[in-house]
Amino acid sequence: MELKLLSVALVLTVSLASTQAAVPPQEYWKQVLPSTRMPKAIKDILYQTFTTDEDGTVDGAGTGVAPDVGNGPGTSVGVGKGGVSVFTGTRKGRPIYVGVRPGFNPFSYIYAATETQLHDDPNTALFFLEKDLKRGKTMELHFTKSSNEAAFLPREVANTKQFSSNKLPEIYSMYSVKPDSVEAETMKQTIKECEAPGIKGEEKYCATSLESMIDFTKSKLGKDIKAVSTEVRKQTPKQKYTITGEIRRVVVKKSVVCHKENYPYAVFYCHKTQETRFYVAPMEGSDGTGVKAVVACHTDTSKWNPKHLAFQVLKVQPGTVPICHFLPEDHIVWFSN
């Protein structure tokens, strides 16, 4: 059963101790990655401008972020004088669904999938075998974004927020979330995934700002880095997609992949990978929608949970064959240039 996010207003009050201007995340990108193209997955969740007043509070101007989440105002992140406000809700006529439900993240390889998830999860169609990655191949797919399109906060703001399972009561109180609610369970699960140890040999990190994501990536890959993400021309239902052109392999020795988590502001689960091959494949849907699909093929799955979604869908055993999956639109692959 899909996780439904109930209507709730979350208010996060921010006061910066420093009187220095908070550098917007996009400006930090320009400073440290001046020759690197920003992928759409990041552009889509940038808040436009941030400044700091003389009293140390943050002023914001720009579009904010309002994801398609369901009976009410939707979800938006706005930064105005005196604080940062985060609102989530539902949209008339249909429920909201959070892309990664509590207790299960198909891109975290320590988790097992249940029978319900096998039948209901749209991510089941994302997994396939490397031998099927070829021109002319047709697959039934549903490229999805997380229904939580929360924006990045500037690092100066994100660093003032509690983000620890030991501080859950304070976090719930800060966001006016009831401890036994679906929202609370979602936030708890995100923090739990971030605090859990990775699989053997995995170097992982949860980035609570774009700046911290960049810094982690540079610490693992060096200064000269690039980033790519899947790009879909428009949102479509599940349909048949065909690989229409040349499949380009991204030749890298090591990489960092960052997966969007569910939280009131943008949080990404990032991990360094070495036994993974990446490709970019041009695709076209049955309705004519074009896709630039990023594909990850994991060559060593021996340490994954034997009941991981991919093994159950493809009916293979851990460590036997490379497991591939298309990356959702809000996931990012970083690699050395």
Side-chain angles (χ1 to χ4, degrees):
M1 181 177 180
E2 295 281 359
L3 172 60
K4 296 182 180 180
L5 188 61
L6 308 178
S7 296
V8 64
L10 308 179
V11 180
L12 168 62
T13 302
V14 175
S15 180
L16 298 180
S18 171
T19 59
Q20 296 179 352
V23 178
Q26 54 268 49
E27 289 303 317
Y28 186 77
W29 180 287
K30 292 178 182 178
Q31 291 173 12
V32 300
L33 301 173
S35 60
T36 300
R37 176 182 175 272
M38 183 181 288
K40 187 175 182 295
I42 292 177
K43 288 181 182 178
D44 285 351
I45 55 172
L46 285 176
Y47 197 89
Q48 295 304 308
T49 60
F50 293 95
T51 58
T52 307
D53 294 337
E54 292 182 0
D55 61 1
T57 58
V58 176
D59 255 351
T63 60
V65 178
D68 183 18
V69 292
N71 293 327
T75 298
S76 62
V77 179
V79 181
K81 189 170 183 179
V84 176
S85 299
V86 184
F87 303 99
T88 72
T90 58
R91 212 175 283 276
K92 255 184 185 178
R94 56 193 177 85
I96 327 176
Y97 297 102
V98 175
V100 178
R101 53 186 65 74
F104 177 68
N105 179 346
F107 303 104
S108 182
Y109 307 119
I110 63 174
Y111 289 102
T114 66
E115 283 297 321
T116 300
Q117 290 155 354
L118 275 171
H119 293 294
D120 294 347
D121 196 329
N123 287 308
T124 57
L126 296 179
F127 292 97
F128 59 96
L129 299 178
E130 193 172 26
K131 67 180 180 64
D132 292 323
L133 184 63
K134 55 188 177 183
R135 187 171 186 167
K137 179 69 176 180
T138 296
M139 306 180 194
E140 192 168 10
L141 301 169
H142 185 199
F143 288 97
T144 62
K145 283 184 178 180
S146 167
S147 57
N148 173 15
E149 295 185 3
F152 278 115
L153 297 180
R155 175 158 49 191
E156 293 92 336
V157 177
N159 285 351
T160 68
K161 303 303 106 200
Q162 298 283 4
F163 192 80
S164 167
S165 55
N166 293 329
K167 300 292 184 179
L168 283 173
E170 292 95 321
I171 294 171
Y172 295 155
S173 176
M174 178 182 296
Y175 292 107
S176 301
V177 171
K178 294 181 179 180
D180 59 351
S181 66
V182 173
E183 293 84 359
E185 182 62 24
T186 302
M187 295 165 70
K188 177 182 176 181
Q189 181 59 29
T190 290
I191 294 174
K192 178 182 175 182
E193 287 182 0
C194 287
E195 292 178 337
I199 61 176
K200 187 177 180 180
E202 180 185 37
E203 298 178 64
K204 54 169 283 193
Y205 173 74
C206 273
T208 57
S209 66
L210 177 57
E211 298 93 321
S212 62
M213 182 194 295
I214 293 171
D215 289 353
F216 171 76
T217 302
K218 289 176 64 178
S219 73
K220 301 302 175 185
L221 304 180
K223 295 181 179 179
D224 190 9
I225 54 178
K226 286 190 175 182
V228 295
S229 65
T230 292
E231 296 183 11
V232 183
R233 192 178 303 161
K234 65 178 181 180
Q235 293 301 298
T236 62
K238 188 175 181 179
Q239 64 175 339
K240 290 183 178 180
Y241 285 87
T242 300
I243 299 176
T244 55
E246 181 182 355
I247 299 166
R248 178 172 61 89
R249 182 176 173 183
V250 182
V251 181
V252 295
K253 291 184 178 179
K254 54 186 178 180
S255 60
V256 169
V257 183
C258 295
H259 309 281
K260 183 81 181 292
E261 293 284 329
N262 286 295
Y263 209 68
Y265 53 89
V267 174
F268 279 80
Y269 177 107
C270 299
H271 56 115
K272 180 183 175 183
T273 62
Q274 288 181 287
E275 295 167 328
T276 305
R277 291 191 282 264
F278 293 99
Y279 302 89
V280 177
M283 306 186 77
E284 184 174 297
S286 56
D287 67 348
T289 297
V291 178
K292 184 189 78 174
V294 178
V295 179
C297 292
H298 303 273
T299 58
D300 183 6
T301 60
S302 59
K303 302 179 183 68
W304 292 19
N305 189 309
K307 292 188 177 181
H308 186 273
L309 178 65
F311 301 135
Q312 298 194 57
V313 168
L314 300 174
K315 302 187 185 309
V316 296
Q317 298 300 313
T320 56
V321 293
I323 298 291
C324 301
H325 60 84
F326 294 102
L327 288 179
E329 290 182 79
D330 51 8
H331 294 198
I332 303 155
V333 178
W334 296 84
F335 54 92
S336 300
N337 192 7

